[in-house]
Amino acid sequence: MSTRTPVPAAIFFFALLGGGLFAQEPASISFENVSAEAAIAVPTREPFVAFGDFDADGDPDLLVDGRRLFRNDCANGEIHFTDITKEAGIEKARGPGGCWFDFDLDGHLDFGTRSGEVWINDGKGHFIDFTQELGIKLPHGSAASIAWGDLDGDGYLDLFAGGDNTYNPTKHYARACWLNVKRKKPLAKMTKKRDRAKIKPMRDVSKDWGIDGKMYGRAIVFCDFDWDGDDDVYSGNYHLKPNDLFVNDDGKLTNQGAAYGVTGRKDPTMFTIPKTGQKVGYQFGHTIGAAWADLNNDGYFDIWVANLAHKYAGPASERLAKLLKSDIDVRGYLCDDSNLFINQGPPSFHFVDERIDRGIPARPIGPRGVYRGDELWSNAVPADFDNNGWVDVFCNQIYGDAPYSFGVLYMNAAGKFQERHKQAGVEIWGGYGAAAGDIDSDGRLDLVVCGAPKVDGKPGIHVFRNTSPEKDWIGFDLIEVKGRQTVGAKVLLVQEEGVQIRQKATTMGSHSQQNDERIHFGLGSGGPIKGVFIYWPDGRVQSLGVPETGRYHAVRPKGGRKSRLRLLGPETAKVGEEVTFTLKGAPKKALIDWDYEGDRAPEETTEEPRLTTTFEEPGTYMIWARAVRPGRVGAEVHRLLTVTAD
């Protein structure tokens, strides 16, 4: 029997930041610009990038703008890419921007673009356009951002498109959602005319699901943030519109952004304009990028939101006064700042903006003398660059004509962030494009950034090799097998001193960009690995035991009977009262991990499917029980318990 005494949130937070779990300063971080040897050249000013291993040779290739393909040909420690656009047969791809995924579950990476195209990989280095047969038509012919994920639980990836804009704040185009269908045969084997005619088109459910509203969604990112087994969708919206969180409930999306606290701020009376006395305030934000990542290592996914936030508020120039129809520029009072929405975990999974507490101050609002520049974040790239066991974030900044408009690298030390772009050598001005990937597979995540090397400089694609001191790490390449999807999988790493969580997703940041699909963990000072668990999209949980560190492990979903667990126990209890939980349906010889502190690390492991404990503080607790045989598959289940004082 165990006794449960919850750690007060303030004390737990102090422990994370100071002398407790994983406490440390950011490790030394450095990059080398190897753009010349990498040889990536594109005739476009602001390209978008996506990593994906299309040829399954174990290293990430690069898709640029959804229409140029660069094969990773690293050798002998030298980073080099080869343009194989023509060889791959995608010269006619429209783009703009695209991401990788296995559309028909044949084990080969396909890609889709923001114009609704789907290009199928034939497994021989060539791609075939099946857009017409699949019937996808987006309201504006393209979308500002797309993402692919299994929304209806059938194992095949569906398309969510975030609407579009024509540089007119008053004219937006509708969002769209298209559901895929089960496919008996890989599309690459259906190239003949008679076979193409048999291809089942995707189905437009935008109106049925109520998500066809007009919006300029520049960041569409999927994540199962509430651990209920299906992907939810976050839409970061531009032009002072609320951001949306579409919660997935058994294959149906509903917008609950306000309920979960992730829309951004709206308070039209928070400021008073000097002289006039007029009340003004935030009208939500200009969101460009968003990314899901566990920023505080509590086992729950948080949201980093990248906004363009005007900060000047004062006398308007003559030209601007005509445009604004006012001699006072109030834009600095209207734009919400970028956000770090921290998931509070069960039972509510509500989010709180902890940006300031996490070490990132907001720029001041005011006239000349107070004004110190706008916040121009246009992307968010989450990755543990220094292998200290905490997710860092790189943010591009747009425009590139201001001395401060360079990309910013925020290094994470035990949940608090510090700027390290100058030390790291990755200052690039302007642009939207960036993604992280282990290009040379040495365990240190490299960075591709699009922009200029100086203010008002010539833009291009810059490849930065990570040359930071080597630290211990481990990685996992989740590989699709016939009929088994891996997009949407979560990987939970349990160390002696805490947990880390990652997910496999098709997009991050802005405009459908994509990090290396391989799952990467820096091990930092978290101590030895106690276990690694993969939560597959079909509900199975696979134990990997304690794998060897310092390498990538290829992992394919295991079969076996899908366990249907039931966790029995009371719904209410009193403080100090013994409570017993019984797990039904566990596989034979399974070990049962019990988590009743809500930190995703097991407090107890038992061979018997039964736990007796007491709770010493009132509150609502989520009890998790994971039943898995070492090296095999199992499942996890949870239930709520309300503890009262009397």
Side-chain angles (χ1 to χ4, degrees), residues 5 68 103 162 199 218 251 271 440 460 562 593:
T5 303
R68 296 287 297 275
F103 178 84
I199 293 174
R218 303 180 74 172
F271 302 112
D440 52 3
K562 187 174 180 180
D593 289 331

Side-chain angles (χ1 to χ4, degrees), residues 218-219 234 236 286-291 304-307 377-380 509-511:
R218 303 180 74 172
Y234 189 74
H286 291 298
T287 297
I288 302 178
W304 182 294
V305 177
N307 288 353
W377 294 5
S378 57
N379 195 7
S510 63
H511 301 289

Side-chain angles (χ1 to χ4, degrees), residues 39 79 136 138 210 309 322 326 345 386 402 419 514 522 545 571 582 616:
I79 289 180
I136 302 171
L138 301 182
K322 291 181 179 179
S326 171
D386 57 1
E419 294 185 14
Q514 189 173 22
E571 295 181 354
T582 303
E616 300 304 316

Side-chain angles (χ1 to χ4, degrees), residues 449-489:
V449 183
C450 307
K454 61 181 181 179
V455 178
D456 277 335
K458 183 179 179 181
I461 296 181
H462 300 266
V463 180
F464 292 98
R465 175 167 45 202
N466 193 332
T467 57
S468 305
E470 293 186 3
K471 301 285 184 180
D472 207 5
W473 64 279
I474 193 170
F476 304 94
D477 190 2
L478 310 186
I479 300 174
E480 280 85 0
V481 298
K482 187 175 182 180
R484 295 286 298 277
Q485 184 60 251
T486 65
V487 168

Side-chain angles (χ1 to χ4, degrees), residues 46-51 63-66 96-99 112-114 143-147 160 162-163 216-222 234-238 243 286-292 303-308 338 376-382 393-398 430-436 448-450 506-515:
E46 294 174 339
F48 306 100
V49 291
F51 279 114
L63 181 68
V64 178
D65 274 347
C99 57
T113 73
R114 286 166 34 209
S145 185
I146 62 167
F160 192 107
Y216 189 18
R218 303 180 74 172
I220 303 297
V221 286
F222 283 38
Y234 189 74
S235 176
N237 304 319
Y238 200 69
N243 292 338
H286 291 298
T287 297
I288 302 178
W292 292 96
I303 315 174
W304 182 294
V305 177
N307 288 353
L308 185 162
S338 302
L376 304 172
W377 294 5
S378 57
N379 195 7
V381 181
V393 179
F394 177 83
C395 290
N396 303 74
Q397 292 202 90
I398 54 171
Y432 300 89
V448 172
V449 183
C450 307
T506 60
T507 60
M508 60 82 215
S510 63
H511 301 289
S512 307
Q513 300 186 84
Q514 189 173 22
N515 278 350

